[in-house]
C-alpha cells in the first residue's frame, strides 16, 4: 500500500507535468487513484486542487465526482466545490457549497470564513451573520476566532463601514496573523472614522517597522494635517513627496499637501498642489474654489477672481446660487479696499464691480438684509468722506429689515448702520440734521450704553451748541 508521502510525491509530479505534458499528467492521475486509493479523499482533493490551479475545468469536475463517490458527506469536498464555483466567479453557488460543508460538519471553520469572504461585497449582511455564527460555535479555537475577526474587518472595510472595521481590526491587530496590509487598513479605517489620533499612532508604529512604506507615510501625513500638527506634517510630507521611490501620487495627496501649505501661509506652494490635484480630476471643481482663495490670500486678486469665475461657470445649473455672486462680490470688495497693494484706479473699477454684483444679490434675495448691508459697505468705500451719502439708502433698508426681526443677535448690524447714518447727518451740519444725527447716536446707546463712538459724537454735537 502507498504511504502518504508516496502519493504526495505523485501529486507533485502531476503538478510538474500538467503544463508541458497534460496527457501524461492525466495518466499518472488515474494511476494514483486506482485500487485502495479510490477511497482516499485527501489524495483526490489534492489532485483536484492541482487541476483547479491549472484552470483545467473538465478534469477538475471529473475528480470532484470521484471524490464524491469515495465519501459524499466529506465537508472538504463541498469546500472544494465552493472554491471551484468561486474560480468561475459564481458566488451564489460557491456560498451554497460552503453552507453544505457546514451542514455536513458544523465545525468546518474554513467554510464559514470562505463564505464570508465570498459574500463580502455581494451580501455583506449575510457575510457578517455567518462570521457571528462561527464565533458562537462551541469550542472554537482562539486562532479561528482571530481569523473570524480578520474576515469581519475585511467585510466592513470593503463596505466602507470604517468604525465597525476598526473595531474588528482592534481585536486581532496585535497578534501574529496581522499582516502589514492589515495594519495599514486598520490605520486607514481609523482615519476614515475620523479618529486621527489613533490612526496616526498606528501609522507611526508602521513607519518604525517600514520607514519606506508609501501607505504609512501617506496616512501619517493626512492625520497630522487633520490634527493641525503642521510642523510634524511638513517633515513627513518632505519624505513622502521627495524621498520615496515609485509613489503613485493621488489627487488626495496633492489636496492634503495643498491644505498644509495653505495653513502655513505658503499660498504659492498651495496653488501648485491644488492645481496638480485638479489636473488629475477636473470634475473636482471645489478645487478651483480653493485655488481662488489661495490667490486671494496671496494678494493676487485678478487671478483669484478669474479662477472663481471659472469655478462658477463649472457649477451645474442647480448648484449656482446667490451665494456664488456674493462671494465674487466680496473678492472685488477686498480688491477695492486694499489701499496698500492696489492702485486707486483699479480699486475704483473693483468697487464698481462689487456694487453691481451686490445689486444682483439684493434682486435675488430682496427679503434678506445681507445684500443691502454689503452694498452699503461698498458704496461707503466709494465715498470715503461720506459726503455724498452713497450708502445711505442701503443702510436704511437694512435697518428696516433687521428691526422687523426683533432679535438682539442683529444688534451689531444695527450699530454699524446707525453709526453711518449718524455720521452722515452730522456732516450735513444743519440744525434739523443734527437732531436726526443725535437720534441715531442715542439709538446706539440704547443698545450699548458704553459705546465710545456714540458718546464722543453726541459730545461733539453738544460742544457745537446743537
Amino acid at each position: 500500500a502507498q504511504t502518504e508521502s508516496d502519493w504526495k510525491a505523485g501529486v507533485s509530479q502531476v503538478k510538474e507535468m500538467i503544463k508541458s505534458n497534460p496527457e501524461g499528467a492525466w495518466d499518472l492521475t488515474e494511476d494514483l487513484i486506482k485500487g485502495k486509493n479510490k477511497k482516499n479523499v485527501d489524495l483526490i482533493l489534492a489532485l483536484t486542487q492541482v487541476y483547479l490551479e491549472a484552470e483545467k475545468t473538465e478534469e477538475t469536475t471529473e475528480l470532484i465526482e470521484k471524490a464524491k463517490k469515495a465519501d459524499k458527506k466529506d465537508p472538504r469536498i463541498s469546500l472544494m466545490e465552493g472554491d471551484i464555483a468561486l474560480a468561475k466567479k459564481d458566488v451564489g453557488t460557491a456560498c451554497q457549497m460552503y453552507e453544505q460543508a457546514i451542514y455536513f460538519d458544523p465545525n468546518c471553520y474554513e467554510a464559514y470564513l470562505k463564505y464570508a469572504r465570498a459574500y463580502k461585497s455581494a451580501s455583506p449582511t449575510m457575510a457578517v451573520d455567518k462570521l457571528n455564527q462561527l464565533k458562537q460555535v462551541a469550542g472554537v479555537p482562539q486562532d479561528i476566532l482571530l481569523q473570524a475577526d480578520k474576515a469581519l474587518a475585511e467585510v466592513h472595510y470593503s463596505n466602507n463601514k470604517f468604525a465597525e472595521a476598526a473595531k474588528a481590526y482592534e481585536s486581532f491587530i496585535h497578534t501574529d496573523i496581522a499582516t502589514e496590509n492589515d495594519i495599514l487598513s486598520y490605520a486607514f479605517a481609523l482615519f476614515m472614522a475620523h479618529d486621527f489620533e489613533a490612526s496616526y499612532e498606528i501609522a507611526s508604529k508602521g513607519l518604525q517597522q517600514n520607514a519606506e512604506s508609501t501607505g504609512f507615510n501617506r496616512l501619517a501625513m493626512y492625520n497630522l494635517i487633520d490634527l493641525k500638527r503642521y510642523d510634524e506634517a511638513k517633515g513627513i510630507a518632505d519624505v513622502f513627496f521627495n524621498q520615496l521611490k515609485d509613489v503613485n501620487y493621488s489627487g488626495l495627496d496633492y489636496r492634503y499637501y495643498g491644505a498644509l501649505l495653505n495653513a502655513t501661509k505658503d499660498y504659492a506652494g498651495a496653488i501648485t498642489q491644488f492645481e496638480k490635484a485638479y489636473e488629475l480630476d477636473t470634475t473636482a471643481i471645489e478645487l478651483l474654489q480653493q485655488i481662488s482663495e489661495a490667490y486671494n490670500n496671496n494678494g493676487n486678486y485678478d487671478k483669484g477672481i478669474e479662477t472663481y469665475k471659472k469655478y462658477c461657470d463649472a457649477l451645474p445649473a442647480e448648484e449656482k446660487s446667490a451665494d456664488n455672486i456674493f462671494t465674487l462680490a466680496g473678492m472685488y470688495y477686498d480688491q477695492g479696499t486694499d489701499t496698500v497693494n492696489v492702485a486707486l484706479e483699479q480699486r475704483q473699477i473693483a468697487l464698481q464691480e462689487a456694487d453691481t454684483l451686490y445689486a444682483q444679490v439684493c434682486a435675488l434675495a430682496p427679503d434678506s438684509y445681507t445684500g443691502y448691508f454689503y452694498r452699503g459697505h461698498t458704496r461707503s468705500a466709494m465715498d470715503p468722506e461720506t459726503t455724498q451719502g452713497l450708502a445711505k439708502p442701503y443702510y436704511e433698508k437694512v435697518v428696516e429689515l433687521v428691526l422687523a426681526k426683533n432679535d438682539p443677535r442683529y444688534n451689531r448690524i444695527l450699530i454699524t448702520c446707525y453709526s453711518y447714518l449718524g455720521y452722515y447727518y452730522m456732516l450735513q451740519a444743519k440744525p434739523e440734521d443734527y437732531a436726526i444725527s443725535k437720534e441715531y447716536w442715542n439709538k446706539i446707546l440704547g443698545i450699548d450704553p458704553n459705546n465710545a463712538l456714540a458718546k464722543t459724537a453726541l459730545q461733539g454735537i453738544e460742544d457745537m451748541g446743537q
Side-chain angles (χ1 to χ4, degrees):
Q2 278 190 321
T3 62
E4 186 176 334
S5 55
D6 287 341
W7 68 250
K8 281 202 166 160
V11 173
S12 299
Q13 223 174 326
V14 171
K15 196 171 185 170
E16 276 166 37
M17 288 165 69
I18 201 161
K19 286 272 191 283
S20 55
N21 178 3
E23 288 85 3
W26 185 247
D27 290 341
L28 178 54
T29 298
E30 290 192 305
D31 267 353
L32 283 166
I33 307 175
K34 280 192 180 132
K36 273 190 176 166
N37 275 334
K38 273 188 181 162
K39 293 271 182 214
N40 186 340
V41 177
D42 286 324
L43 163 62
I44 302 171
L45 288 179
L47 287 164
T48 312
Q49 184 67 38
V50 171
Y51 278 91
L52 175 60
E53 282 169 14
E55 296 178 4
K56 295 196 175 292
T57 318
E58 277 176 51
E59 292 89 334
T60 306
T61 312
E62 200 173 318
L63 286 164
I64 274 291
E65 289 315 311
K66 288 183 191 292
K68 283 186 185 167
K69 280 198 185 100
D71 177 359
K72 61 175 189 294
K73 288 190 172 173
D74 190 319
R76 293 171 306 165
I77 301 171
S78 306
L79 265 187
M80 182 65 78
E81 286 186 281
D83 293 353
I84 292 166
L86 206 54
K88 295 180 190 159
K89 306 223 174 342
D90 180 353
V91 176
T93 304
C95 287
Q96 277 175 331
M97 288 300 145
Y98 296 141
E99 279 278 22
Q100 187 172 295
I102 293 167
Y103 172 74
F104 288 142
D105 175 11
N107 291 335
C108 181
Y109 307 129
E110 212 177 327
Y112 296 86
L113 296 168
K114 287 191 166 188
Y115 178 103
R117 290 201 164 101
Y119 259 159
K120 184 163 76 174
S121 306
S123 181
T125 336
M126 288 168 82
V128 171
D129 287 348
K130 190 59 70 192
L131 291 166
N132 286 330
Q133 278 172 34
L134 170 56
K135 289 173 145 194
Q136 300 311 311
V137 175
V140 186
Q142 185 56 33
D143 63 319
I144 299 294
L145 286 174
L146 292 174
Q147 290 289 352
D149 281 325
K150 181 166 167 142
L152 199 56
E154 287 167 25
V155 174
H156 287 316
Y157 187 88
S158 64
N159 292 287
N160 298 342
K161 294 203 157 167
F162 295 112
E164 289 94 327
K167 226 171 134 173
Y169 279 118
E170 175 58 41
S171 43
F172 76 89
I173 209 74
H174 303 294
T175 69
D176 294 344
I177 68 161
T179 62
E180 183 175 309
N181 225 5
D182 291 325
I183 298 168
L184 189 54
S185 298
Y186 177 40
F188 186 74
L190 287 167
F191 166 73
M192 291 301 286
H194 289 210
D195 192 346
F196 305 126
E197 288 283 359
S199 177
Y200 175 63
E201 201 179 310
I202 300 291
S204 294
K205 281 192 183 141
L207 284 175
Q208 285 163 18
Q209 304 300 312
N210 177 3
E212 302 285 296
S213 157
T214 302
F216 288 130
N217 275 292
R218 173 179 278 133
L219 273 175
M221 178 177 83
Y222 285 8
N223 283 302
L224 286 169
I225 293 169
D226 279 321
L227 290 164
K228 299 188 169 43
R229 287 159 60 177
Y230 299 127
D231 286 345
E232 293 163 87
K234 274 195 156 157
I236 299 271
D238 179 49
V239 172
F240 183 65
F241 285 103
N242 304 319
Q243 292 171 37
L244 298 182
K245 309 227 182 348
D246 307 320
V247 179
N248 197 354
Y249 295 109
S250 70
L252 197 57
D253 295 336
Y254 296 129
R255 280 175 177 232
Y256 262 93
Y257 196 26
L260 169 63
L261 296 171
N262 200 41
T264 53
K265 298 193 169 38
D266 175 359
Y267 300 119
I271 290 163
T272 307
Q273 297 307 322
F274 289 145
E275 280 177 342
K276 283 184 195 170
Y278 184 64
E279 267 168 45
L280 284 181
D281 178 10
T282 50
T283 63
I285 56 172
E286 68 281 1
L287 282 161
L288 292 172
Q289 204 177 352
Q290 290 178 284
I291 293 167
S292 152
E293 217 169 274
Y295 272 126
N296 234 28
N297 289 335
N298 219 16
N300 191 337
Y301 299 108
D302 289 335
K303 286 291 278 183
I305 288 164
E306 182 193 318
T307 312
Y308 192 77
K309 282 180 173 168
K310 197 172 151 189
Y311 163 69
C312 292
D313 291 343
L315 275 173
E318 68 276 9
E319 284 179 37
K320 289 180 169 37
S321 70
D323 284 348
N324 302 128
I325 301 169
F326 183 75
T327 303
L328 189 58
M331 295 171 99
Y332 278 115
Y333 177 80
D334 288 345
Q335 185 176 21
T337 51
D338 183 345
T339 50
V340 180
N341 302 305
V342 186
L344 176 65
E345 192 184 345
Q346 181 69 51
R347 291 206 307 272
Q348 287 170 329
I349 296 169
L351 287 170
Q352 205 52 65
E353 282 287 346
D355 188 50
T356 308
L357 290 166
Y358 283 131
Q360 287 177 30
V361 174
C362 295
L364 286 168
D367 299 331
S368 163
Y369 76 89
T370 321
Y372 303 105
F373 188 59
Y374 284 94
R375 198 168 181 201
H377 286 3
T378 306
R379 296 227 137 198
S380 174
M382 289 173 163
D383 168 25
E385 304 299 321
T386 318
T387 44
Q388 304 168 64
L390 294 184
K392 180 173 173 284
Y394 304 103
Y395 283 141
E396 285 172 341
K397 180 71 178 169
V398 174
V399 169
E400 176 198 322
L401 289 168
V402 166
L403 282 177
K405 292 182 187 288
N406 194 16
D407 183 336
R409 277 185 309 177
Y410 298 102
N411 283 348
R412 197 178 49 80
I413 306 277
L414 284 173
I415 289 175
T416 302
C417 298
Y418 291 154
S419 302
Y420 177 90
L421 294 164
Y423 188 60
Y424 168 76
Y425 279 106
M426 197 163 127
L427 287 181
Q428 304 312 302
K430 293 193 203 72
E432 63 272 26
D433 293 322
Y434 280 128
I436 300 172
S437 178
K438 275 181 174 168
E439 275 177 41
Y440 280 117
W441 296 116
N442 280 314
K443 281 180 180 176
I444 292 176
L445 292 178
I447 298 171
D448 171 14
N450 298 316
N451 188 286
L453 185 63
K455 283 181 172 175
T456 309
L458 285 167
Q459 189 61 52
I461 296 171
E462 207 173 291
D463 291 347
M464 287 185 280
Q466 296 298 331

